[in-house]
Amino acid sequence: MKRNIYLTVLTCLITFVFTAVTFSQEKEEEEDNRPIRPPFETVLLIDNQTTVNLDKGALLLEIQHRFSQIEKIDDLFGIYGSANTRLGITYGITDKIQLGFGTTRDYMLQDLEWKYSILTQTRSGKIPVSLSYYGNVVLDARESKNFGPEENYKFIHRFSYMNQLIVSRNFGGIASFQLAPTFVYYNAVMEGYRNANASIYFGGRVQVLGMSSIVFEYDQPLLKPQDNHPEEGIEANDVYPNIGLGIEVGTSTHAFRVFVSNYDAIVKNRSIAFNGNNPFDGDFQFGFNISIRF
């Protein structure tokens, strides 16, 4: 009798332990399949979008500023020179869709932008990368005389468009890198430039001290400038890669980045299609971004 009782108790104990272990493992597996923490501090790295989206109902204010080119100490390395600034507002429509609007000083650019999160990397690695689609349409609001002969002017000449697929991966919560094939199209361009432009972008963020990180970006043009037409007096213009390197400091509601770059066009449409600053000649300028989440 006692032996049967002992066997019954032992069987119940083994069953309980097995059930608890199995439940614990299932719970751990379920937790491992949750999305990773955001691989980047906010929706922007330096000037390129990241795979991070705003939460539903969240609002983000972006202040992006570029000083003039670093030339001499007389203008305090560009700080006393002319500057370019963009103010942008982005809203999280859902956890996967965000919509934004911005206005930029140079060329009086007005941009409408959107981003959709397609995939999010999971902690278990079941989904190994994050994938987002980003697009925009940009209006050049300058006077019509800036668009060539008046008799050829059309309102549609003011518009450009950008489409981008962004793939990112976070490594151990310390480093995050992303890659993005990019296509930019201008309805009208100056002689010597292309309407259609393509580039491959690579960027990253590496945490170094607490809330501080090193950030970098590189855009490599993939299409050569227009061919020369000497008989028509048209020469192709060189378009150089975009390079940016800086430091980022983040808090729960703010992100601040200070950096140096070889381009001053904040809206990527222009820097991809028209960047004439040669990084090998030292054509750089300082800049900073401030991101404020509400």
Side-chain angles (χ1 to χ4, degrees), residues 46-96:
I46 294 179
D47 283 322
N48 274 278
Q49 292 284 324
T50 67
T51 52
V52 173
N53 267 45
L54 292 180
D55 295 332
K56 180 179 179 180
L59 190 66
L60 179 74
L61 171 65
E62 286 280 357
I63 303 170
Q64 298 167 261
H65 188 84
R66 304 291 177 276
F67 297 103
S68 64
Q69 198 169 106
I70 300 171
E71 293 181 350
K72 52 188 178 181
I73 196 171
D74 290 356
D75 64 356
L76 201 58
F77 302 107
I79 294 178
Y80 291 158
S82 60
N84 188 20
T85 302
R86 176 183 179 270
L87 298 178
I89 290 286
T90 303
Y91 179 74
I93 298 177
T94 71
D95 289 340
K96 288 182 172 292

Side-chain angles (χ1 to χ4, degrees), residues 193 238-240 242 262-263 270-271 273-279 283:
Y193 290 97
D238 291 327
V239 177
Y240 294 99
N242 302 321
N262 73 317
Y263 58 94
R270 286 205 62 86
S271 60
F274 304 124
N275 183 22
N277 293 336
N278 188 348
D283 296 341

Side-chain angles (χ1 to χ4, degrees), residues 203-271:
R205 171 178 179 260
V206 180
Q207 288 185 295
V208 287
L209 291 172
M211 304 296 289
S212 300
S213 303
I214 295 173
V215 293
F216 69 90
E217 293 186 336
Y218 180 85
D219 278 288
Q220 176 60 51
L222 298 180
L223 301 178
K224 294 181 180 179
Q226 282 186 346
D227 295 333
N228 290 340
H229 300 280
E231 68 280 2
E232 301 177 15
I234 301 174
E235 293 185 359
N237 292 278
D238 291 327
V239 177
Y240 294 99
N242 302 321
I243 300 174
L245 176 66
I247 297 173
E248 177 183 66
V249 179
T251 69
S252 59
T253 58
H254 293 69
F256 181 78
R257 277 143 276 155
V258 59
F259 52 85
V260 63
S261 68
N262 73 317
Y263 58 94
D264 57 3
I266 299 173
V267 176
K268 294 304 297 182
N269 302 39
R270 286 205 62 86
S271 60

Side-chain angles (χ1 to χ4, degrees), residues 99-102 110-114 134-139:
L99 186 67
F101 173 78
Q110 317 302 315
D111 63 90
L112 178 67
E113 58 181 11
W114 53 89
Y134 169 81
N136 73 19
V137 56
V138 180
L139 168 69

Side-chain angles (χ1 to χ4, degrees), residues 183-187 189 193-198 223-224 226 273:
F183 180 76
V184 171
Y185 187 84
Y186 272 81
N187 287 338
V189 295
Y193 290 97
R194 302 183 63 96
N195 294 89
N197 300 269
L223 301 178
K224 294 181 180 179
Q226 282 186 346

